[in-house]
Amino acid sequence: MDALLLSRWQFAITTTYHFLFVPITLGLSIFIALLETCFVTTKRPQWKAASKRLVRFFGTIFLINFALGVVTGIVQEFHFGMNWSEYSRFMGDIFGAPLALEALTAFFLESTFLGIWVFGWNKLSEKLHCACIWIVAIGSNLSAFWILVANSFMQHPAGFAIENGRAIMTDFLALVTNPYVCGEYSHALFAGISTGGFVVLAVSAWKLLHDETSRYAFTQSIKGGAIFMAIGILGVMGSGHMHTQYLATANPMKLSSIEALWETADPAPFAIAADINMDKSRNDTELAIPGVFSFMLYNKPSGEVRGINALQKEYQTKYGPGDYRPDVPALFWSFRIMVGAGGVMLLLAFTTALLALKGRLLSFPLLLKILPFLLPLPFLANSTGWFITEAGRQPWIVVGLQRTAEAVSPNLTACSVWLTLIGFTVLYLLLILAALYIAFRHIQTTTIPDEGRNA
């Protein structure tokens, strides 16, 4: 393997590690803020005591996740200078602005007020303490916004000019209001809510089965977690549909590759499964539903969708010789894994919420037993979704402006990348195992006994 391919693998692996923690931070911070709001506003003594201890319980899980997210995220910025120096040279004027704002307006905000929140119990008033966790939640999600502003430029450049071989920002407002940001950010926000909700759901299910003294508290949390997750998944579906329609204009090659649509069609079918032949630029066999792809894009059963082959010819004319197709089979199946995982999660959320609201959860112990084992589902959906986002723009690192092969550091050697690739992979694995052990011990040993009665 050469330095380019190894650098891509290294960035993909470290980003995947990092992205395991980001959605939990986005969603769980909001859930804890809502839970503490319940603690502050409720007049029921039983629920007030339970909600406060639930805030501390899930707050500890959040802190473990936050620490791992920070550690794994710091390395990402070093990649740009070490492995992708030509990208940094070309994009530094634009990419540096949202990253700086992410640190100044978001990371410092959330980390400062998280510290106040952790050490502020019994030192601040209830309302002021609750305000701190809301600031943490806002800061966490603001951090994601600035990162996705930078990423959206790479997907669909806006507000720039090329001067002396570098991309120069000419319109900061255009950078921030890039329509691509709206789709990416809303999708990431709701994915975080879905993931945070599933964490609450899985942990609460385990506690209901194994910790009888905490049954009241986790009966309440599983209701809230199921509803929270259902809202997140419905939001993911809505924002994903909206963003898919925008891709028809912004990045038609990515869109057609997700559906393995090789030839322009009107109406365009939706392929459920396909045997994709990249060498011959076709699907040898496929199971497709006529007209559904056009309906997804135009809200009617007709409408032209440009195929991969036509777009390849168009890009060769526009950008010069080369293969402008991403990895079609990987995108095609990643999309279906993401959608399938989301569908199962929605079914689990509705089922759990319905049974919990009817007070019948304990009558279905099998559901409670399987929920903890299904916790990888949101992480599978998040990882495949992020893969679609990043791999779908290949061979570009900045669509239309710089190819990935042009962005790698010129003096980088395969040996040095191998060493850091192995080192980061092993180190991150050990960190994750340590975090999981600490989290499991916390879940197993922390009880929330029932205190008081309903008023």
Short mmCIF file of all heavy atoms in Angstrom, two decimals, residues 88-98 166-170:
data_model
loop_
_atom_site.label_atom_id
_atom_site.label_comp_id
_atom_site.label_asym_id
_atom_site.label_seq_id
_atom_site.Cartn_x
_atom_site.Cartn_y
_atom_site.Cartn_z
N SER A 88 -4.30 21.15 3.50
CA SER A 88 -4.25 22.27 4.43
C SER A 88 -3.75 23.53 3.74
O SER A 88 -4.25 24.63 4.01
CB SER A 88 -3.33 21.93 5.61
OG SER A 88 -3.83 20.82 6.33
N ARG A 89 -2.77 23.37 2.86
CA ARG A 89 -2.26 24.53 2.11
C ARG A 89 -3.35 25.10 1.21
O ARG A 89 -3.54 26.32 1.14
CB ARG A 89 -1.05 24.12 1.26
CG ARG A 89 -0.40 25.27 0.49
CD ARG A 89 0.51 24.76 -0.61
NE ARG A 89 -0.22 23.99 -1.60
CZ ARG A 89 -0.95 24.54 -2.58
NH1 ARG A 89 -1.06 25.87 -2.67
NH2 ARG A 89 -1.57 23.78 -3.44
N PHE A 90 -4.07 24.22 0.54
CA PHE A 90 -5.09 24.65 -0.42
C PHE A 90 -6.33 25.22 0.29
O PHE A 90 -6.91 26.21 -0.13
CB PHE A 90 -5.49 23.47 -1.30
CG PHE A 90 -6.58 23.79 -2.30
CD1 PHE A 90 -6.30 24.53 -3.43
CD2 PHE A 90 -7.88 23.34 -2.11
CE1 PHE A 90 -7.30 24.84 -4.35
CE2 PHE A 90 -8.88 23.63 -3.02
CZ PHE A 90 -8.59 24.38 -4.14
N MET A 91 -6.72 24.61 1.42
CA MET A 91 -8.01 24.91 2.06
C MET A 91 -7.89 25.67 3.38
O MET A 91 -8.90 25.98 4.01
CB MET A 91 -8.74 23.59 2.33
CG MET A 91 -9.62 23.12 1.20
SD MET A 91 -11.16 24.05 1.13
CE MET A 91 -11.94 23.44 2.64
N GLY A 92 -6.67 25.95 3.82
CA GLY A 92 -6.49 26.50 5.16
C GLY A 92 -7.28 27.76 5.43
O GLY A 92 -7.81 27.95 6.53
N ASP A 93 -7.37 28.66 4.45
CA ASP A 93 -8.06 29.93 4.66
C ASP A 93 -9.54 29.72 4.95
O ASP A 93 -10.15 30.48 5.70
CB ASP A 93 -7.90 30.82 3.41
CG ASP A 93 -8.54 32.18 3.60
OD1 ASP A 93 -7.98 32.99 4.36
OD2 ASP A 93 -9.61 32.43 2.99
N ILE A 94 -10.12 28.67 4.36
CA ILE A 94 -11.55 28.42 4.54
C ILE A 94 -11.79 27.45 5.69
O ILE A 94 -12.61 27.69 6.56
CB ILE A 94 -12.16 27.87 3.23
CG1 ILE A 94 -12.06 28.94 2.13
CG2 ILE A 94 -13.61 27.43 3.44
CD1 ILE A 94 -12.46 28.46 0.77
N PHE A 95 -11.05 26.35 5.70
CA PHE A 95 -11.28 25.30 6.68
C PHE A 95 -10.93 25.77 8.09
O PHE A 95 -11.54 25.35 9.08
CB PHE A 95 -10.44 24.07 6.32
CG PHE A 95 -10.91 22.80 6.96
CD1 PHE A 95 -12.08 22.20 6.55
CD2 PHE A 95 -10.17 22.19 7.96
CE1 PHE A 95 -12.51 21.02 7.13
CE2 PHE A 95 -10.59 21.01 8.54
CZ PHE A 95 -11.77 20.43 8.13
N GLY A 96 -9.93 26.67 8.20
CA GLY A 96 -9.49 27.13 9.52
C GLY A 96 -10.52 27.97 10.25
O GLY A 96 -10.59 27.94 11.48
N ALA A 97 -11.36 28.70 9.51
CA ALA A 97 -12.32 29.61 10.16
C ALA A 97 -13.37 28.86 10.99
O ALA A 97 -13.55 29.16 12.17
CB ALA A 97 -12.98 30.50 9.11
N PRO A 98 -14.10 27.90 10.41
CA PRO A 98 -15.08 27.18 11.24
C PRO A 98 -14.44 26.34 12.35
O PRO A 98 -15.03 26.19 13.41
CB PRO A 98 -15.83 26.29 10.23
CG PRO A 98 -14.98 26.23 9.02
CD PRO A 98 -14.21 27.51 8.99
N ARG A 166 -4.79 28.64 -4.33
CA ARG A 166 -5.41 28.34 -3.04
C ARG A 166 -6.86 28.81 -3.05
O ARG A 166 -7.22 29.76 -3.75
CB ARG A 166 -4.67 29.04 -1.89
CG ARG A 166 -3.23 28.60 -1.71
CD ARG A 166 -2.54 29.35 -0.59
NE ARG A 166 -3.14 29.00 0.71
CZ ARG A 166 -3.78 29.86 1.49
NH1 ARG A 166 -3.93 31.12 1.12
NH2 ARG A 166 -4.26 29.46 2.66
N ALA A 167 -7.70 28.11 -2.27
CA ALA A 167 -9.09 28.53 -2.11
C ALA A 167 -9.14 29.62 -1.04
O ALA A 167 -8.69 29.41 0.09
CB ALA A 167 -9.95 27.34 -1.69
N ILE A 168 -9.70 30.77 -1.38
CA ILE A 168 -9.77 31.92 -0.48
C ILE A 168 -11.24 32.22 -0.18
O ILE A 168 -12.07 32.26 -1.09
CB ILE A 168 -9.12 33.16 -1.11
CG1 ILE A 168 -7.67 32.85 -1.52
CG2 ILE A 168 -9.17 34.34 -0.16
CD1 ILE A 168 -6.77 32.49 -0.37
N MET A 169 -11.55 32.43 1.09
CA MET A 169 -12.92 32.76 1.46
C MET A 169 -13.26 34.18 1.02
O MET A 169 -12.54 35.12 1.31
CB MET A 169 -13.11 32.64 2.98
CG MET A 169 -14.56 32.84 3.42
SD MET A 169 -14.71 33.03 5.21
CE MET A 169 -13.88 31.56 5.80
N THR A 170 -14.37 34.32 0.31
CA THR A 170 -14.82 35.64 -0.13
C THR A 170 -16.14 36.05 0.51
O THR A 170 -16.49 37.22 0.48
CB THR A 170 -14.99 35.66 -1.67
OG1 THR A 170 -15.94 34.64 -2.05
CG2 THR A 170 -13.66 35.40 -2.37
#
